[in-house]
Amino acid sequence: MEKFKIPHSDIETTRIAFGAWAIIGGFNWGHQEEKDSQRALRAAFDLGITLFDTAKMYGDGKSEAMIAKALGDVRDKIVIATKALPEDFEYSRLKKDCEERLRILNTDYIDLYQLHWPNWQVPIEEPIRALTELKQEGKIRAFGVSNFGPEDMKDALLHSSEISTNQVPYNLIWRAIEYNILPICQQEQIPILCYSPIMQGILAGKFSTAEEVPDDRARTRHFSKDRPLTRHGEAGQEQETFRVVNAIREIAQKSGIPMVNLSMAWLLSRPAVGSILVGARNAQQVEQNVRAASINVDPSILEELTELTTPLKHLLGANPDMWASESRYR
Ligand SMILES: NC(=O)c1ccc[n+]([C@@H]2O[C@H](COP(=O)([O-])OP(=O)(O)OC[C@H]3O[C@@H](n4cnc5c(N)ncnc54)[C@H](OP(=O)(O)O)[C@@H]3O)[C@@H](O)[C@H]2O)c1
C-alpha cells in the first residue's frame, strides 16, 4: 500500500487510514456490535493499513480502547493518531490529557497527537508549548491540528515549525477546503488528513435521494435546515448534491470501478493530501475500501469527476464547516 511521510518525524504510514469514529456506534451511526468493530480494525491491519485515527471525543476514549484491544499485540507496527478536545488546550490540562490518552491506548507513546478543533479562548502558544515538550519527552512522535483554517494555521506556525498535519473534511462533494486551506497546506508542506472521505457513506452509493439519508447523517450543509438535527439554518443543496452523487454512480458503473473506490481514488489524487481516513463498521467494508489502493483510474475520469463536482463546490461556498453556517474555522 502506498505510504507517505509525516513531516518532522520519522513516521512513514499508509495513504489509506482507518477512521475509528463509527466503530463506537451510537450518535450518527446507530447500533454497532463490538465484535464487528474489533474485526474491522484487525482486517484493516491485516490488509496493510497502518494508520489508525481516533480521538477522545469518540465515546470519551471508547474508540481508543477498542484500538488498544484489537491491535495491542502489533502496537509497534501501527501508527496511532489521536486528538485532544479543545477544552483541554490549556498547558497543564493538555499534558494531563496526553497521560490519559496513553493510559487508555495502553501505550508509552502516541504517534500523532492532534488538536481536534481550534479553541480561540486559549492562546495557541499554550497547547503548542505542551505539544513541543511532549515530543521532546518522547511521549508523542509528532503533533498536528484539525479543523484549522488559514488564520489558525498561520497562528500555530508562528509558534512552531513542527506542525505535521492538518485534519479537515474533504471529499468529492465537500471541496470547501480547496479555497483557502489546501493552498496553505501545500505551501507549508503540511499533509492533509482527509476526514469523511466518502461523505459518511453517501459516496459509497447507498443513497439516491436526500430523503433516503437518515436524519443524523443529514446534518451537513448539503441538506435543508428542515432536517430535524441540523443546526446551520441554510436551505441546503439537496438537488445538486444528489444530481452529482447519481452522476458519480454512473461514471463508476461506466468505468467498472466501485463508486466507493472511485471516490477514494479521486481524493488520493488531489494535491497536498497525505492520507484519507476512511471509517468502516465491519471487515467487509474494510476489504472493499482497501481496493482503492490498487486501482488505476484514468486521469480523464478523475478530471471528469472534478468538473462534475465543481458547481456544487461553488454552491456550498468556501466555509469548510460541514455542520455550521457560522464557521468554526478562521
Ligand atoms: N477531525 C474531525 O473533526 C473529524 C470529523 C469527522 C470524522 N473524522 C475522522 O474521519 C474518519 C472518517 O470520517 P467519517 O466516519 O465521518 O466518514 P466516512 O469515512 O466518509 O464514512 C464512513 C462510513 O461509511 C460507511 N461505509 C464505509 N465503507 C463502506 C463501503 N465499502 N460500502 C458502504 N458503506 C461504507 C460506513 O457507515 P454505514 O455502514 O453505517 O453506512 C462508515 O462508517 C472518522 O472515523 C474519524 O477518524 C474526524
Side-chain angles (χ1 to χ4, degrees):
M1 192 170 304
E2 203 190 343
K3 297 201 166 148
F4 78 111
K5 190 182 171 311
I6 296 188
H8 316 296
S9 80
D10 56 2
I11 305 171
E12 251 214 350
T13 189
T14 47
R15 296 198 68 214
I16 296 179
F18 185 97
W21 173 23
I23 53 167
I24 64 166
F27 181 67
N28 211 94
W29 303 108
H31 180 73
Q32 175 75 16
E33 290 287 334
E34 168 143 13
K35 67 174 180 344
D36 289 333
S37 304
Q38 291 291 325
R39 284 183 192 146
L41 285 163
R42 198 68 200 191
F45 174 74
D46 290 343
L47 292 166
I49 289 177
T50 59
L51 178 57
F52 292 81
D53 182 72
T54 180
K56 174 175 181 171
M57 198 182 273
Y58 307 155
D60 196 14
K62 190 173 170 190
S63 160
E64 293 169 315
M66 283 180 170
I67 292 177
K69 187 171 163 191
L71 301 169
D73 62 323
V74 289
R75 170 66 189 100
D76 58 338
K77 297 186 176 64
I78 62 169
V79 172
I80 301 177
T82 192
K83 309 182 206 84
L85 290 172
E87 68 215 42
D88 291 321
F89 287 2
E90 184 269 321
Y91 172 82
S92 50
R93 279 185 71 159
L94 191 58
K95 287 208 139 177
K96 206 165 135 231
D97 179 74
C98 181
E99 297 299 331
E100 193 191 329
R101 311 268 65 73
L102 290 171
R103 183 181 61 75
I104 294 173
L105 285 162
N106 195 21
T107 181
D108 297 333
Y109 61 94
I110 293 166
D111 299 280
L112 179 67
Y113 193 31
Q114 305 154 98
L115 303 176
H116 204 146
W117 280 88
N119 177 351
W120 301 326
Q121 311 309 316
V122 180
I124 189 70
E125 49 266 47
E126 279 216 36
I128 295 277
R129 184 159 60 91
L131 291 168
T132 307
E133 286 179 14
L134 287 166
K135 193 171 169 185
Q136 284 157 358
E137 292 160 9
K139 292 189 173 167
I140 65 175
R141 292 171 77 194
F143 57 86
V145 295
S146 173
N147 297 301
F148 271 42
E151 289 310 311
D152 282 321
M153 284 187 74
K154 279 182 205 150
D155 277 1
L157 286 163
L158 277 182
H159 298 282
S160 173
S161 54
E162 292 196 25
I163 313 277
S164 289
T165 50
N166 190 9
Q167 182 175 145
V168 286
Y170 192 24
N171 62 57
L172 266 171
I173 57 169
W174 193 266
R175 293 176 49 193
I177 67 149
E178 289 179 2
Y179 287 96
N180 300 312
I181 298 179
L182 193 152
I184 180 170
C185 287
Q186 202 170 13
Q187 184 193 314
E188 299 293 337
Q189 299 186 332
I190 295 177
I192 292 170
L193 305 184
C194 307
Y195 75 71
S196 304
I198 53 170
M199 201 52 247
Q200 302 193 337
I202 293 177
L203 289 168
K206 57 182 70 173
F207 311 112
S208 302
T209 64
E211 292 69 36
E212 288 171 25
V213 181
D215 284 337
D216 50 2
R217 290 200 208 178
R219 293 180 295 122
T220 61
R221 290 175 35 243
H222 299 100
F223 297 91
S224 153
K225 62 178 176 349
D226 298 334
R227 297 300 291 254
L229 300 176
T230 52
R231 57 174 154 165
H232 56 64
E234 295 178 15
Q237 297 296 342
E238 294 183 349
Q239 213 181 336
E240 178 62 7
T241 298
F242 282 87
R243 181 188 79 77
V244 163
V245 166
N246 291 321
I248 298 169
R249 186 183 293 105
E250 274 175 33
I251 296 172
Q253 279 162 356
K254 238 184 355 195
S255 56
I257 299 169
M259 182 168 165
V260 68
N261 297 137
L262 186 62
S263 304
M264 291 169 66
W266 177 85
L267 200 49
L268 286 166
S269 77
R270 304 301 286 168
V273 167
S275 187
I276 64 175
L277 317 174
V278 197
R281 313 278 300 267
N282 52 54
Q284 291 73 25
Q285 288 183 347
V286 178
E287 280 158 23
Q288 168 75 62
N289 298 347
V290 292
R291 287 188 203 135
S294 50
I295 55 166
N296 260 329
V297 184
D298 193 286
S300 67
I301 297 178
L302 298 174
E303 188 48 42
E304 190 181 351
L305 291 168
T306 307
E307 274 174 32
L308 168 71
T309 55
T310 297
L312 178 63
K313 166 183 156 176
H314 292 318
L315 285 168
L316 287 165
N319 173 10
D321 195 325
M322 291 208 289
W323 299 281
S325 330
E326 255 183 57
S327 185
R328 289 165 292 169
Y329 286 69
R330 67 175 178 197

